[in-house]
Amino acid sequence: MVSVMKNDLMERVVSLCKRRGFIFQSSEIYGGLASAWDYGPLGAELKRNVKNAWWKAVVHERDDIVGLDASILMHPNVWKASGHADNFSDPFIKCSACQKYFRFDKVWEEVSKSPWYISLAKVMEGSKDTRDFFKWAKGVGKSLCPNLALVKEPEVTVSWIVESVENRDYLKTNFREFISRLAADQNGINRTPCPQCGNALPDQGVSANLMLRTSLGPVEETAEKVYLRPETAQGIFVNFLNILDTTHRKLPFGVAQIGKAFRNEITPGNYTFRTREFEQMEIEYFINPQDAQRCHEDWITERFNWYIRLGMKKENLRLRPHGADELAHYAKGCTDIEYNFPFGWSELEGIANRTDYDLKQHAQHSGKDLRYQDLVTLEKNFPYIIEPSGGVDRATLAFLVDAYHEEEVNEATRVVLRLSKELAPIKVAVLPLLKKNDGIVELAKRIKKDLQKDFVTVYDDTAAIGKLYRRQDEIGTFFCVTVDVQSLEDKQVTVRDRDTMAQDRVPVENLRKYLTEKFSIGPA
Ligand code: GAP
């Protein structure tokens, strides 16, 4: 295994995704739309496989969950009841110099990761006296953060720093205060510096609702203003009665849904990780309040294991319970499943105990009785809701990053996408050894036609066999079937395993059976 540095890993995955048609920038021929992405032929297959694996695990393989596909546009009162109309906002601040927006609550996190801070921290590590500050301010600082007070007026700023720095560990122990001092204004008052350019940022955030708005109807003035849903969950809550009435479910039971959601994120980024249009996979699991705590714990375990069952490395996953200050207004508890992305541990999925908040809110706003009636005691109560809520795009990105693998083979680098059998976009590639031999080509095409009934199969004759193998390896194709001259005589083909590169000679007539057995998950 060639070890790929973390910084390089993201770049290599992004480059592979573009080169091989997993992910393209949206509207690329017009210069692209920031943070919007299109899934290409292989990406569409992979994303579909992620969603199918989720649906299979949470709907088809269980007795207690049914599916739903609700509309993106909903009655505006839904968002009043849910709290989104009033509370769904992230205060932001805008840098008056570089015009970039930052989330007010995340700006210090961004400062600590900014190139200028990292560079300055290195200088500080080995620094002996204030001359190092001047040197940095007049050199690297000028190019990385031209608007930082230390860079614009080093003499004044350094004199203030000298007053406050008592010992060499100051940067570590008083990070915010120290960095605020570097950005201090003319009056010597500490300020928060812009992570991008160092300029002093405003002290207060401005609140902005994160929902995207659109209008229904052809005439703008009379059109009804509606929102593109910011989560799929509400479609489930407002259908609670419909589902109860049509399926006669008893508690506990769940409703699962996959669909698009939209949020006017202030700082989208990290490739497909945070975007303004994305897909969610959400379950709302209705349960008696007294069983909610145990059920919450069970779902955390179940969802964590789902990623591992699909091949994700356990050491790249962790659980992070939310602190009380992080909990959404409706939640009693929430635990995130995080993945160790090249840009740091970040949320893949949140599993929340939403209590009876949502049904109560909708009952109050709609005037409908949304309580569940126990068929034995005839008592009516609002059930609690446990909600495992994951992102399709984030899961897909994590599976891609996790599967990316490089190794040296015959003094060349072999890139392999070690996706699981369930997730690999292409299961089998049929490759003719000689593309000018009509017999070989005809047999190869016949085999492809036969296999594609059971497996996602491609035919490729556009390069020499070694190159064709490498191309299939880097997109994660599980098996390559090669048809050669000998095949025409003995009616056998070579089947090559992606991971071991071991080759088996298999009779053409047994090929489907052979592959079905290899894909123990059954035909894809
Ligand atoms: N119904 C609860 C809910 O929506 P959330 O934590 O805001 O909770 C759930 O979102 C999941 O949706 C996240 O764990 C993440 O995987 C995905 N998600 C949220 N915002 C996203 C964004 N801007 N881009 C991509 N995925 C996002």
Side-chain angles (χ1 to χ4, degrees), residues 231 263 265 273 275 280 282 347-348 387 389 391 394:
E231 62 173 8
R263 294 180 191 178
E265 296 284 3
F273 180 81
T275 50
Q280 289 187 313
E282 297 200 295
E347 175 188 342
L348 276 185
E387 178 196 62
S389 170
R394 285 190 189 177

Side-chain angles (χ1 to χ4, degrees), residues 327-338:
L327 284 178
H329 57 281
Y330 51 76
K332 197 173 174 188
C334 185
T335 293
D336 284 348
I337 299 175
E338 294 189 331

Side-chain angles (χ1 to χ4, degrees), residues 173-194:
T173 51
N174 299 292
F175 166 73
R176 279 197 192 189
E177 202 188 318
F178 176 74
I179 300 295
S180 308
R181 206 84 197 106
L182 303 180
D185 61 23
Q186 294 99 328
N187 303 320
I189 301 193
N190 285 4
R191 303 291 298 270
T192 304
C194 169

